[in-house]
Amino acid sequence: MKRSPVLKMAEKEKKIIDAAITIISEKGFSASTTSEIAQMAGVAEGTIFRYFKTKKDILRGIVIHLVKIMGEPLILDSFKKMLFTQNQQDLRSIIKALLKERLALMEVIYPMLRIVVTEAMYHEDIRKILYEEIVSKALNIFKLFREEMVAKGLMAGDIDPLAASRSIYGNLVALFVYRKFFGSMTRLENLDQDLDHVVDIIMHGLAAGRK
Amino acid sequence: MKRSPVLKMAEKEKKIIDAAITIISEKGFSASTTSEIAQMAGVAEGTIFRYFKTKKDILRGIVIHLVKIMGEPLILDSFKKMLFTQNQQDLRSIIKALLKERLALMEVIYPMLRIVVTEAMYHEDIRKILYEEIVSKALNIFKLFREEMVAKGLMAGDIDPLAASRSIYGNLVALFVYRKFFGSMTRLENLDQDLDHVVDIIMHGLAAGRK
DNA sequence: GATAAAAATGAGTGATTACTCACTCCGTAA
DNA sequence: TTACGGAGTGAGTAATCACTCATTTTTATC
């Protein structure tokens, strides 16, 4: 009786997944072809169908893989660490550091993000996974963070925590999208300047007589 | 010499665009077929190619349609009116009304939005149209609005106007996405309550000792 | 009603696709 | 050495697609 070379199997599968991420992220799912993926992965086209029953199954494999990676304790942990062990007493610096770190992360995982966002727009089940694995967790962490900040007297206590974190993420994504998508059409400000503006608005709002 | 029935022509074109929006919004651009679109529009497949040189031109047609809707005199006017002729001296109510109106519009044109957002992620030329026809215009209108508000002493004068409008739109989209995508997974608050929270944060930020 | 131009049609076409399957290759065990 | 079985292959296939074009239908004008 022969034993299957499990490790090699995983390697090939990973090669295919990696190639699929690259290609699908560039052209979208339907516009990507299995022969293209096979070529980039360095395998025969037939091999793909030994690991994935259909083309759609490749996508399923990717999305679950991606959501797991993005929600991985590693990422969430570094997030937590940043929020809680920052020894500075300055909420402003904490939020700026948080935004900066998240922005860098989004930049790194952008190819994956693009696939997940696209699929999430069209499939409820993926939105559900996304919510359970990432959104709800991020919201909970923020709630803890907020409690600590309120206790320290740094953050207003009468704000709805859900609305507050939604706002922070909204600001974050707006900045990311603007710089990523429309950056080539205007003269971009220095990132740190942009961040300072955002943090300023998040902290004190737009109304007159703030400060 | 014969004259072409201009009105009927526009009608057919609109039928095709409407059918395309329905189908592409459901299945994505690449997965939608021209024969399907023709069938739903009630025209022959060949007819589509009299109005749109290629399939991709249909997509461009949808984007242009969106631009027209967003920039339509009627809507833009009501937008401007809302921003400038609001006789209340209360910036808070103005922004709330603005958000509410934009939210309702986004809801109505959601199928189209989904297509445009998806394709904008993959095609620079679509991003460019969006920027020139919508983003930059919206930014300009906001700048004027801000100047007026600052003059009236309602809005802080030392805030970068680009960052400010980006922030408002970020908050708007975050609320829309949360309610639209994750609304079924949690108990949603009343929309007006949500709006009040958002406006509160936009106005005064998260820092302690605001108000 | 006659005429002609424009608009609409849909069968046809070449290109492309996801997927199949008969086959090769190779590590292992007897 | 031989024989086995699964991993890997890639030419082949049926289906599907965007787009064309010769033909028919509709329309406007006299």
Side-chain angles (χ1 to χ4, degrees), chain B residues 108-123:
Chain B
V108 170
I109 62 173
Y110 175 64
M112 211 187 312
L113 268 185
R114 179 152 72 168
I115 296 171
V116 173
V117 169
T118 306
E119 298 309 319
M121 283 201 290
Y122 293 95
H123 304 290

